[in-house]
Amino acid sequence: MIFYTHDQTKKRFAIVETWRDITLQSAIDVAAIKLPEVHDTFEWFKHQLIIDQVMLKLTTLTQSDLDLLHPSQKVYLFTAQLLPFIKDLYSDKPVSYQPRLIKEFVHEGVEYLMPTSLVIDADTVVLQHGQKVKNFIEASNLLKRYAELKDEGIKVMPMFIASVVKEHPDEQWNEVNVIERSKRFATLPMDIVWEVFFCISAHTLKSYSDILQSMTEERSQTRLQRWVSRLGRLRLRQAELLTRLAQLRAWRYGTF
C-alpha cells in the first residue's frame, strides 16, 4: 500500500500499490462499477462520482474524506494509481502482473496446492466443451469467463478457485468443502487469483498443444498409410503390366 496525508484533515490514508493489496471481493466490487468510455485523462473530471466509487473500494478514504479532496487530486490518484488495475480487470489478461508460477500458497493459515492439470475429479475436465464443473458453474469455456471479468465472470472466481486448488494431493472433490472454501476466498489477494489464471492457462495451452500434436501425428499417419496404400497399388499395377509385357513377348516370339 502507498500512504498519503490528506491536505485538509492531515489524516493518513492508504491506496493500493500492487495486486497483493487488492482482495478478490474488492475486485468483484470494482468490476461491477460501470465505467464510462474515456479517451483522455481530462475527461475523468466529468466522472467524479465514478472515481469516488472506485476509490472507496481501493483506498482507505471515506466519502467525507473524498468530499474534501480537490477534483484534480482525485483524478490524479485515480488515473495514476488505480486505473491500470481496473484496465487489467477488463482485459483478457493482466499486463501489470508477472506470474511467479507458484506451486502453492497460504491463505488464512491454510496451505493450498495449485492445480497440476485440468482434471478436477474423475468425471470433470475443466475447459472441455460440453463439460461442467459440477452444478455451480458453467465450464464450456472458463478462459472466456476469465476474459469477461467486466461482466459476470469474476463473480464465480471464489467458487472456481476453490474447486481447482487442493489442500493435499489426494484430496477428493467435495461440493460442501468447496462452497465453504469459496467463502474464505473472498479475501484472497488478487495476485493469487492471477496465479491460478496463469496456471490454468498454461495447462490449457499444453492441452491444446497436445491435441494439435496428436491431430498432426494422426494426419501424418493417415497420409503415410495412404501413401503406402497408393505405393502398393502402383507396385501391383507395375507387376501386372510386367506380367502382360512378358505375355506379349512370349506370344510375339512364339514361346507362349
Side-chain angles (χ1 to χ4, degrees), residues 105-150:
F105 63 91
V106 176
H107 183 61
E108 295 186 355
V110 180
E111 183 178 71
Y112 299 96
L113 304 176
M114 296 291 282
T116 56
S117 71
L118 300 180
V119 178
I120 291 180
D121 60 19
D123 302 319
T124 306
V125 180
V126 180
L127 300 171
Q128 295 297 312
H129 291 282
Q131 298 290 328
K132 289 183 180 295
V133 182
K134 295 300 181 181
N135 299 319
F136 57 82
I137 175 174
E138 181 180 0
S140 60
N141 191 344
L142 284 174
L143 279 186
K144 183 178 180 182
R145 298 299 294 274
Y146 269 119
E148 293 175 348
L149 298 183
K150 61 182 180 296

Side-chain angles (χ1 to χ4, degrees), residues 210-247:
D210 291 344
I211 292 173
L212 181 59
Q213 182 177 354
S214 175
M215 292 174 62
T216 302
E217 291 176 352
E218 288 179 3
R219 289 197 189 103
S220 298
Q221 185 66 27
T222 300
R223 285 197 295 268
L224 178 61
Q225 291 174 349
R226 288 175 179 172
W227 183 80
V228 170
S229 177
R230 186 177 301 172
L231 180 62
R233 291 197 298 271
L234 287 174
R235 285 178 175 172
L236 287 174
R237 181 61 175 166
Q238 183 184 41
E240 181 183 351
L241 290 174
L242 289 174
T243 300
R244 290 187 178 181
L245 179 60
Q247 290 175 344

